[in-house]
Amino acid sequence: MLKIFQDFLKSLWPEFYRHRTNVHLNSFYTFTNYRYLWFISISVLAATALAPICIATLIYYQLIETSVDSDLNHRTKQLTVAAKSAVTFFMEERLNALTFTVNENGYEQLTDNTRLAEILKNLKLGFGGVTDLSVLDADGNQVAYAGPFNLEGKNYKNQSWFEQSLKQINYISEVFTGYRDVPHIIITVRSVKPDGSSFILRATLDTERLMQTLSSYKTGDYADIFLVNHEGKLQTPSIHYGAIFTPTNLIFPAGSDESEVIEIFLNGKSIISGHSSISRDLTSTPFTLMVLKEKAGMLKFWQDMSFKFNWIMGASVVVILIVITFASTFMVNKLYRADKAKAETMMQMEQSQQLASIGQLAAGVAHEINNPLAVINQTAGYMKDLFSFKDQERDDDEIVEYIDSILDAVDRCGTITRQLLGFVRQFDVKIKKVNLQKLISQVLSFHKKEAEYRRIHVTVSIPDSFPELETDSSKFQQVLVNLINNAFQAVEEGNCLDIIASQLSPNTIELVIHDTGCGIPEENLKKIHEPFFSTKKNGSGTGLGLSITYGLVKKLGGRISVQSTEGVGTSFTIHLPVKINEGRNA
Amino acid sequence: MQHTDILIIDDEIKFADMLAKRIELRGRSNAVCYDGKSALEWVKSHAHGITLILLDLRLPDLYGTEVLVGIKEINPAIPVIILTGHGTEKDRLECERLGAYRFIHKPPKIDELMSIFEHIRERSEC
């Protein structure tokens, strides 16, 4: 269990991050920059996973904002309408009561102070908010008075409200302080005396009652409900604008009965403002009802929710990123390990193929060396025979001849071993100048006897102007050994093997190895450079020769192609740069 | 027609000559052919005067097996020892199938060759 956990942790550790290996092994990796791969993987996965979340969040916020705005407007409007009804009802109720009083009692009774005081008492009981009552004649003289102030005998002829009262059947004044220095509203009802002249019943309304009515509609700390007159002067105190009678810029045309909601900015705050004129059927009032709601306050619930939502989103994004990072690390690690194993196998394969090439060479060398050894054996044996059968002299010419023969044969063996050593040593050397003619004749020298016995006509055609190649000689050598070995295996007795080199451009050469051997069937032609593909029976071939050759030519910065017709022959064509680009093929 | 004890067929001239001299020293007549075709000619003309043939597998003109088949066609009774520098197990089986008497790797031991020869001669005389 612990081991599984350890393995799991190990698979999440970015092992590839410190990917360093030798240059030779590196060339077998499919991917070189694992950090980049990792980065790309994380970026693509993160973009794919997070983009929908971000878009959904944006859409969500936009929808919330729109719906909250419309909800706020709607609620403000509802509140405006409700408060307006209440204020209108407040006014109408009192006005109707006054009208009823006038109609019921008539001028005579109303001018009776005792009766008037009784009516005032009833009005206070029934409706409240009525401070005093008075009856005025058409000249503005106060004829009767009931109330707490001693205002009897006063003349109101020059007061603007009196002029208005005479013109209309009933009238509602703005809030003003008048003689008493207390804010109040005057409502009047005009009627006719028995003699035909007009008289006015006036009631003073306490604004306290009105303000209470307005206050009852305040919901929460962020609402502000108050009245202004048509000049914008406050008629009741406002949270935002201050005390009563403060002038404001809230000026709305009179007469519109509709409630309207707009958004305004006040002291840097966004405020939803609803307003409506207070009007009645018969007469309009000077009041406009204002409902102000601070948007921020109203939005508080939504903001709290958004805050929670953001937290959840942020946490989700972090979790997603962690999961993506781990998943990417896991995948890239897997890929890296597979690639590493592949690269190591490929390198081993190349090495074993190189050994196989050398093995093939060694077989050729053994063949070459065996004949002179047989000669030495027989000559030495004969010399021994001479002594034992003939008892011949030491300085006999024949003996000298045989010794020379032995020496000659030993020389032949020496030449062959030197060739092999020189050839095999080149496998170690990296980039150096290569004389193609020399290299080809070295490779062919190991096939000399075979060519002779099997009567294979080998021709090598290299123009005099052919340049010296500057390339990885060991790889190039292996390519030649592989292809020439292959050709020798493909040809029958009496066939031809042509090696033709030419220079295509200042930095490109072409080498064609053509044989008139058995050829490769078309169905195999596509597979010959696949690893482990072999047509040799009994496992005598590894199936790696051509696959490795393809890889080697690629590493030398060249390309290789094959044309073959079954029964006619095969041509391997290699294009190579004259000078290898080290950086690319290190 | 003169009788030939041993016919050597090998393209490695010095080897063949030296072997011939050593056989001669041991009192046995012999002849040497350096290629397959001339060897077959020689066998044809001496079809019944050869005790033993030593044959190399690699010859410049014909395969050793071809020469072996040729010899067996001329006179299947002549024993043929295959003398090869690098014959494989497969070659050995093939040669035995074609009727080779022995399959010996180069370099051969002269005494072994001579004892085989003596054995054949004694048997043919019986």
Side-chain angles (χ1 to χ4, degrees), chain A residues 367 370-371 374-375 377-379 381-382 385 389-390 402 405 408 412 453-455 493, chain B residues 11-12 14-15 18-19 21-22 25-26 58-63 85-86 106-108:
Chain A
H367 287 186
N370 215 30
N371 281 325
V375 173
N377 176 279
Q378 288 313 311
T379 314
Y382 181 59
D385 287 352
F389 286 85
K390 284 188 170 177
Y402 297 141
S405 174
D408 182 44
R412 267 172 70 188
Y453 288 134
R454 293 170 61 196
R455 289 188 304 286
E493 190 179 324
Chain B
D11 68 323
E12 185 67 45
K14 280 186 177 168
F15 169 78
M18 220 35 88
L19 190 58
K21 277 181 196 283
R22 297 185 77 186
L25 272 182
R26 282 161 178 79
R58 281 201 160 179
L59 293 171
D61 55 348
L62 294 173
Y63 286 112
H86 29 69
K106 279 183 184 177

Side-chain angles (χ1 to χ4, degrees), chain A residues 446-490:
Chain A
F446 300 115
H447 292 281
K448 204 170 97 193
K449 279 282 164 188
E450 192 184 351
E452 233 170 65
Y453 288 134
R454 293 170 61 196
R455 289 188 304 286
I456 296 162
H457 306 287
V458 181
T459 53
V460 179
S461 147
I462 299 174
D464 293 337
S465 61
F466 196 79
E468 271 199 332
L469 304 179
E470 205 169 299
T471 189
D472 186 328
S473 60
S474 67
K475 288 196 174 81
F476 187 45
Q477 198 177 8
Q478 207 183 341
V479 168
L480 286 178
V481 169
N482 285 349
L483 289 178
I484 290 173
N485 277 350
N486 244 354
F488 266 93
Q489 280 160 10

Side-chain angles (χ1 to χ4, degrees), chain A residues 254-265:
Chain A
S256 162
D257 198 25
E258 284 298 308
S259 301
E260 199 187 357
V261 175
I262 52 167
E263 190 172 344
I264 58 170
F265 289 93

Side-chain angles (χ1 to χ4, degrees), chain A residues 163-222:
Chain A
E163 287 167 21
Q164 296 287 329
S165 303
L166 278 180
K167 285 180 197 159
Q168 297 159 10
I169 291 172
N170 42 43
Y171 166 76
I172 298 173
S173 79
E174 290 179 8
V175 179
F176 68 107
T177 44
Y179 295 122
R180 282 174 267 176
D181 224 18
V182 174
H184 60 274
I185 299 169
I186 287 172
I187 59 174
T188 61
V189 176
R190 192 187 69 191
S191 193
V192 187
K193 284 197 247 179
D195 64 2
S197 63
S198 294
F199 76 94
I200 286 165
L201 177 65
R202 182 193 86 152
T204 308
L205 296 185
D206 182 0
T207 54
E208 197 59 38
R209 191 62 180 252
L210 183 62
M211 285 192 291
Q212 275 172 13
T213 307
L214 285 177
S215 297
S216 67
Y217 284 89
K218 277 190 191 175
T219 49
D221 300 332
Y222 302 97

